[in-house]
Amino acid sequence: MVFRAILAAAASLSLLACVQAAERKADAPRRIVSLDYCADQYVLKFADREDILALSPDAEKRYSYMRAEAAGIPTVRPRTADVLVLQPDLVVRTYGGGHDIANFMEKPGVPVLQIGFPQTLAEVREEVLRAGIALGKPEKARELVADMDRRLETLARRGMPRKTVLYMTPAGVTTGEGTLVHELFEAAGIENFQTQPGWNPLPLERLAYERPDMVAASFFESETNHVDNWSAARHPVARAQLRELPVVPLEGAWTACGGWFVLDAVEALANAAEKAS
């Protein structure tokens, strides 16, 4: 009798879970269009594949984190007419379509989910939760955030000696306090060599007499971040950093957008700092 009661209770719980899942599915948007590759990541993570009408033309590019999952899904240019002809239930964007596209979608009654530009890990968490709820997968979003927190806690327990790191792109740009990249350095337990806040050219004069412990090289695998003849990254002082110091290659897909995938960059930085100790 006890065994039968347990089975009955388990069956009831299973049925309840199915009903709840069906209710969540009924509330979720069924015809989704994404307008840029940052939005693509969230749509591919939280929407069911059969509910995705179209992604951005960049969905399978190397700097798209979920590029493998994007294979085979139609794409659309972020133009109002091209999007509306698909008759979407929801449009998701970060920057795609320009700032006026939400207004153009309002008249035909198509809601737009605006993905933000998080500059801290706390804001990344908030964005993951908000997008997951909007796309009908609140539990999956909570699990993803919990996994992020577990990974960060594991890194925090390492207690490694603090190393300095210089962020460098092929365009000769680096970054300091007040940016998401700076937050990633902090989470990895390393110190940002760049002392000036925000995005700035590489500090070539300082690098001539002072060096970081490591270089975080980002977007060097990408063909979109072109190096022109005037880029500070072409200067002999900058080239010497890449040639003579430990280099942590950061994939553009890890840092091009603000999402859960930035944790891959944090872990790569922490591992490199540990090896350099």
Side-chain angles (χ1 to χ4, degrees):
M1 292 293 292
V2 173
F3 182 66
R4 288 180 181 177
I6 292 173
L7 285 178
S12 297
L13 288 173
S14 178
L15 179 60
L16 178 60
C18 290
V19 170
Q20 290 174 336
E23 288 175 348
R24 287 197 299 270
K25 181 63 178 175
D27 292 337
R30 294 295 186 91
R31 298 173 61 82
I32 303 169
V33 172
S34 174
L35 300 186
D36 54 74
Y37 72 89
C38 286
D40 292 337
Q41 314 314 311
Y42 284 90
V43 170
L44 288 165
K45 189 67 175 179
F46 293 120
D48 293 330
R49 188 178 179 89
E50 62 269 21
D51 293 337
I52 304 174
L53 285 178
L55 300 169
S56 83
D58 294 329
E60 292 189 64
K61 297 290 178 61
R62 187 167 183 173
Y63 47 81
S64 174
Y65 187 79
M66 302 284 288
R67 56 190 178 274
E69 290 79 0
I73 298 177
T75 62
V76 65
R77 293 186 180 279
R79 296 184 294 207
T80 304
D82 293 352
V83 173
L84 288 178
V85 76
L86 298 176
Q87 299 181 323
D89 293 332
L90 178 68
V91 167
V92 186
R93 71 178 293 272
T94 303
Y95 59 87
H99 65 279
D100 287 334
I101 196 164
N103 296 330
F104 290 128
M105 294 292 162
E106 185 177 356
K107 188 173 182 179
V110 179
V112 175
L113 172 61
Q114 175 69 53
I115 303 296
F117 298 88
Q119 295 301 306
T120 67
L121 287 172
E123 290 176 358
V124 170
R125 291 187 188 90
E126 292 172 3
E127 208 61 24
V128 168
L129 289 171
R130 189 176 68 87
I133 291 170
L135 291 166
K137 296 294 193 304
E139 190 57 39
K140 187 172 183 178
R142 285 191 287 268
E143 290 172 0
L144 194 55
V145 167
D147 180 65
M148 289 176 61
D149 290 339
R150 282 192 294 269
R151 293 165 70 181
L152 288 169
E153 288 170 9
T154 298
L155 292 173
R157 288 196 294 267
R158 287 191 183 183
M160 298 176 297
R162 200 161 174 86
K163 299 290 183 179
T164 58
V165 62
L166 172 69
Y167 181 80
M168 186 186 299
T169 71
V173 174
T174 190
T175 185
E177 190 175 358
T179 66
L180 183 56
V181 171
H182 180 84
E183 281 259 324
L184 304 186
F185 290 170
E186 291 291 317
I190 55 182
E191 184 177 344
N192 196 341
F193 179 80
Q194 172 69 358
T195 55
Q196 188 172 351
W199 295 91
N200 296 280
L202 290 169
L204 295 176
E205 292 184 8
R206 182 183 173 201
L207 287 169
Y209 61 87
E210 185 181 352
R211 284 189 167 189
D213 296 314
M214 306 184 302
V215 173
S218 190
F219 291 99
F220 277 81
E221 85 287 359
S222 174
E223 297 178 357
T224 62
N225 203 323
H226 301 292
V227 183
D228 60 41
N229 290 332
W230 300 103
S231 170
R234 296 178 73 89
H235 194 281
V237 170
R239 303 306 298 175
Q241 314 304 309
L242 294 170
R243 185 175 62 252
E244 299 170 8
L245 296 176
V247 175
V248 190
L250 297 182
E251 292 187 21
W254 296 346
T255 57
C257 305
W260 65 96
F261 33 84
V262 298
L263 264 293
D264 288 9
V266 175
E267 289 171 341
L269 289 162
N271 291 337
E274 191 170 42
K275 289 179 182 178
S277 300

